[in-house]
Amino acid sequence: MKYTIPFNKPYLTGKEVEYIKNAVSSGKISGDGLYTKKCHEFFEKEYGFKKCLLTTSCTDALEMAAILIDIQPGDEVIMPSYTFVSTANAFVLRGAKIVFADSNTDNPNIDIDSIEKLITPKTKAIVPVHYAGIACNMDAIMDIADKHSLFVIEDAAQAIDSFYTGKDGIKRPLGSIGHLAAFSFHETKNIISGEGGMLVINDLKFAQRAEIIREKGTNRSQFFRGEVDKYSWVDIGSSFLPSDIIAAFLFAQLENISNIQEVRKKHWKQYYDGLLSWSIDNQVKLPFINEFATNNAHMFYIVCKNLEQRTRIIEKLKANGILSVFHYLSLHTSPFIANTADSILINSDNYSECLLRLPMYYELQTEEIKTIIDLIKEA
Ligand SMILES: *Cc1c(COP(=O)(O)O)cnc(C)c1O
């Protein structure tokens, strides 16, 4: 079926092809070329991330994080069940046991009060996911982690250009708070490169090893900087770095980030204002943004009263050529994870059944959003 309003449409700023051409004619299109450096500098300057490394996906960045914190078979990692498979898979690859936490009733982020009960002597890390780009309660998470000597790895896949204001009153970008963080530039995110991602290293003790793991376990980066006189195999690793062609595409996007964000936020607000009174009348919940969080307009979702209501809205939109989509099926119920009897996660299951994402992309028109709002109300 061809939708007149798709769920997502990748937005091109106009400079992507020009920068790719530049990268190609520079003669160096493998990783860590000119555009990769420009992207690293952009992130380090704009957001104050201590060290950034582009990867070929957020999944890769999470896999690097699992290696960096030295996950061993049997180690336990706590994360929300309501997340993408990669959040868990990256740690499962190293032999970890995933311990799933429930989501908040207000929004799908990890329920802080459920975390401490899940900690055992084997727990090694907490992986908060900033769902829809809305910050988790990072002070609470960092406090728990400090108390139990755990690592915190932010899954910031959806959280570019979003912020958290802590107890100290300082506003920090998401991805700058945990020991490590992973971003995604998949074409469904705000800032894209087709496939792409980034590892952010906030605890610099991981910096050197991160470079090595990303370069197949070799100290090639140090060699190119002239810090060692030959390069050799020094650790485990893989090929996690993207070609400079991908970085060239990404850089064109980054140059336009404020415009992209502004337009997306305008769309988001139109949905919110248009649906607010209807949502109250129909027991539907709109996104909840805590006072400590900002909104990066990654996603506009509604949480329906029940499955029937959601199905009715999906069908109504579909009949009018509009694609709306539900989201994660709780990982603790997935066929791959041997189900532990006590894992009943009410809120997570509720989001699996009732959360619905509406079309959200740069080129969406005011009139189109109005149509979507009207159709939802009719449904
Ligand atoms: C998109 C996403 C990922 C995976 O990102 P890739 O770049 O496609 O690997 C991981 N976690 C979350 C929460 C995501 O939304």
Side-chain angles (χ1 to χ4, degrees):
M1 164 149 189
K2 179 105 180 71
Y3 290 92
T4 46
I5 305 180
F7 172 66
N8 178 54
K9 194 168 161 191
Y11 169 64
L12 302 184
T13 68
K15 289 274 185 73
E16 284 82 356
V17 175
E18 183 188 326
Y19 290 174
I20 288 172
K21 269 193 194 143
N22 291 347
V24 171
S25 53
S26 80
K28 174 153 178 14
I29 53 173
S30 58
D32 283 335
L34 176 69
Y35 282 103
T36 305
K37 292 200 175 79
K38 279 177 178 287
C39 291
H40 289 169
E41 276 167 21
F42 177 92
F43 285 114
E44 288 164 9
K45 188 165 147 285
E46 280 305 306
Y47 299 109
F49 297 142
K50 293 219 181 94
K51 186 174 174 64
C52 298
L53 290 171
L54 291 192
T55 57
T56 44
S57 64
C58 177
T59 304
D60 272 358
L62 289 164
E63 285 175 27
M64 285 181 68
I67 297 172
L68 280 169
I69 64 166
D70 207 23
I71 292 287
Q72 297 295 319
D75 287 348
E76 295 178 6
V77 178
I78 298 173
M79 65 181 63
S81 178
Y82 195 74
T83 184
F84 189 59
V85 284
S86 296
T87 321
N89 200 51
F91 297 90
V92 169
L93 278 173
R94 315 300 321 156
K97 175 181 173 224
I98 308 298
V99 178
F100 291 110
D102 205 356
S103 295
N104 293 315
T105 37
D106 291 337
N107 68 27
N109 285 340
I110 191 164
D111 174 8
I112 300 300
D113 297 332
S114 72
I115 296 176
E116 273 199 298
K117 298 193 270 288
L118 301 174
I119 294 173
T120 75
K122 288 184 170 169
T123 308
K124 191 105 184 226
I126 306 171
V127 188
V129 179
H130 304 299
Y131 187 79
I134 294 161
C136 298
N137 184 344
M138 291 307 294
D139 278 341
I141 292 171
M142 296 311 288
D143 285 349
I144 295 170
D146 277 350
K147 187 169 146 199
H148 298 273
S149 302
L150 307 176
F151 292 111
V152 174
I153 295 159
E154 297 174 72
D155 183 338
Q158 306 172 6
I160 190 87
D161 199 48
S162 203
F163 297 81
Y164 169 79
T165 304
K167 304 190 275 256
D168 57 8
I170 299 173
K171 190 171 168 182
R172 293 182 177 82
L174 300 185
S176 70
I177 304 163
H179 300 86
L180 299 162
F183 284 91
S184 175
F185 307 118
H186 184 264
E187 72 167 24
T188 51
K189 308 300 202 265
N190 293 28
I191 297 295
I192 62 174
S193 61
E195 303 281 350
M198 176 168 72
L199 178 72
V200 173
I201 298 145
N202 298 314
D203 184 338
L204 287 177
K205 76 165 179 281
F206 293 117
Q208 186 175 329
R209 189 162 181 241
E211 287 183 342
I212 290 168
I213 289 165
R214 179 165 164 272
E215 274 278 23
K216 303 96 186 163
T218 73
N219 56 358
R220 186 170 161 153
S221 301
Q222 286 169 281
F223 173 71
F224 282 131
R225 285 197 298 264
E227 293 166 15
V228 290
D229 58 9
K230 57 183 184 322
Y231 93 80
S232 31
W233 184 19
V234 295
D235 203 333
I236 60 166
S238 190
S239 187
F240 289 121
L241 76 173
S243 103
D244 215 48
I245 296 174
I246 289 178
F249 190 115
L250 181 64
F251 190 65
Q253 295 265 315
L254 292 176
E255 282 186 329
N256 285 280
I257 189 166
S258 45
N259 174 245
I260 292 172
Q261 293 298 87
E262 196 181 309
V263 171
R264 293 183 73 106
K265 284 178 194 169
K266 188 170 99 357
H267 295 338
W268 197 98
K269 188 167 184 316
Q270 193 189 341
Y271 273 127
Y272 192 87
D273 293 345
L275 288 169
L276 187 57
S277 62
W278 165 84
S279 71
I280 296 164
D281 295 342
N282 290 276
Q283 293 156 275
V284 171
K285 287 203 259 176
L286 299 188
F288 175 75
I289 301 171
N290 308 72
E291 72 289 352
F292 54 67
T294 62
N295 174 25
N296 71 346
H298 170 60
M299 183 194 298
F300 193 88
Y301 68 83
I302 61 177
V303 184
C304 296
K305 178 170 65 179
N306 52 36
L307 184 59
E308 293 74 58
Q309 188 192 45
R310 183 175 79 175
T311 308
R312 218 162 48 237
I313 295 172
I314 293 175
E315 291 303 323
K316 180 78 179 177
L317 292 173
K318 189 174 167 197
N320 288 275
I322 299 161
L323 181 59
S324 62
V325 285
F326 50 83
H327 212 181
Y328 306 126
L329 301 173
S330 299
L331 293 182
H332 73 284
T333 62
S334 60
F336 180 70
I337 294 283
N339 214 345
T340 49
D342 57 349
S343 55
I344 296 167
L345 304 176
I346 295 170
N347 293 328
S348 182
D349 288 341
N350 184 53
Y351 291 119
S352 297
E353 217 169 271
C354 300
L355 187 144
L356 182 66
R357 295 177 294 160
L358 304 178
M360 174 56 96
Y361 51 89
Y362 185 96
E363 285 166 89
L364 202 55
Q365 303 296 311
T366 307
E367 273 310 304
E368 293 175 325
I369 297 178
K370 190 169 176 311
T371 306
I372 295 168
I373 293 171
D374 290 345
L375 286 167
I376 290 174
K377 290 178 180 172
E378 278 175 40

